Amino acid sequence: MGTWATDAFGNDYAMDWAQDLHEYKTLELVETTLDNVIDSQEAELEAPFAAEALAALEVIARLLGKPGEDDPATAEVDEWVAACKKKVTPPLLEKARLALDRIVAESSELRQLWQDSEHFADWQADVAQLRARVLGPQA
């Protein structure tokens, strides 16, 4: 995976996912992406699923009016969010919570990859900040 930053869109998987988002007019891709993480029966959550789910979570944060830092790479995502007429529902927020828990668990390949890098603390901080933007500061 090509990775250049610790934020949700700082890798190839997330950017590819973001391009696919434009084919949807609803939150279907966001929900399906979270379901892939939640429903995975594998002992270890594969890194591509986790990276895509972090991108989906960032979309939820933006729909809630709580975007991360401005990033030229996410301009198309911001356009999609601005055009999206769908609301974030409590069931979707519950899926967000479950997916986040799985992404940061010991059995997450993405977590393990970051843990083996010198940027693990930065990645953890970015994920914690994303969690707070999606689920609130007490999450």
Side-chain angles (χ1 to χ4, degrees), residues 6 15 17 31 33 36 48 52 55 60 64-65 87 92-94 99 105 116 123 130 135-136:
T6 57
M15 292 307 293
W17 182 91
E31 191 161 357
T33 301
N36 288 341
E52 291 173 350
I60 292 171
L64 292 170
K87 299 286 184 210
L92 185 59
L93 288 175
E94 177 60 14
D116 292 341
W123 179 79
L130 178 57
L135 300 174

Side-chain angles (χ1 to χ4, degrees), residues 11-132:
N11 63 78
D12 289 335
Y13 295 125
M15 292 307 293
D16 290 346
W17 182 91
Q19 287 179 330
D20 293 342
L21 182 64
H22 285 278
E23 297 174 18
Y24 294 83
K25 300 284 187 235
T26 67
L27 294 174
E28 179 184 357
L29 181 61
V30 171
E31 191 161 357
T32 300
T33 301
L34 298 179
D35 287 340
N36 288 341
V37 168
I38 297 164
D39 298 339
S40 173
Q41 298 299 311
E42 300 296 320
E44 180 177 87
L45 175 63
E46 294 180 30
F49 292 123
E52 291 173 350
L54 287 173
L57 290 159
E58 182 61 47
V59 167
I60 292 171
R62 290 166 188 262
L63 285 167
L64 292 170
K66 301 174 185 174
E69 294 182 29
D70 286 337
D71 183 346
T74 62
E76 290 183 12
V77 170
D78 291 333
E79 288 175 18
W80 186 90
V81 166
C84 183
K85 303 296 185 221
K86 302 298 178 184
K87 299 286 184 210
V88 176
T89 62
L92 185 59
L93 288 175
E94 177 60 14
K95 287 183 181 195
R97 185 189 64 74
L98 293 170
L100 276 161
D101 289 348
R102 187 99 198 266
I103 291 165
V104 299
E106 293 289 332
S107 60
S108 166
E109 181 186 27
L110 186 62
R111 176 199 164 101
Q112 292 167 14
L113 291 169
W114 281 111
Q115 202 165 357
D116 292 341
S117 81
E118 63 188 70
H119 303 288
F120 182 53
D122 294 334
W123 179 79
Q124 285 183 301
D126 279 352
V127 173
Q129 189 235 37
L130 178 57
R131 176 186 289 271

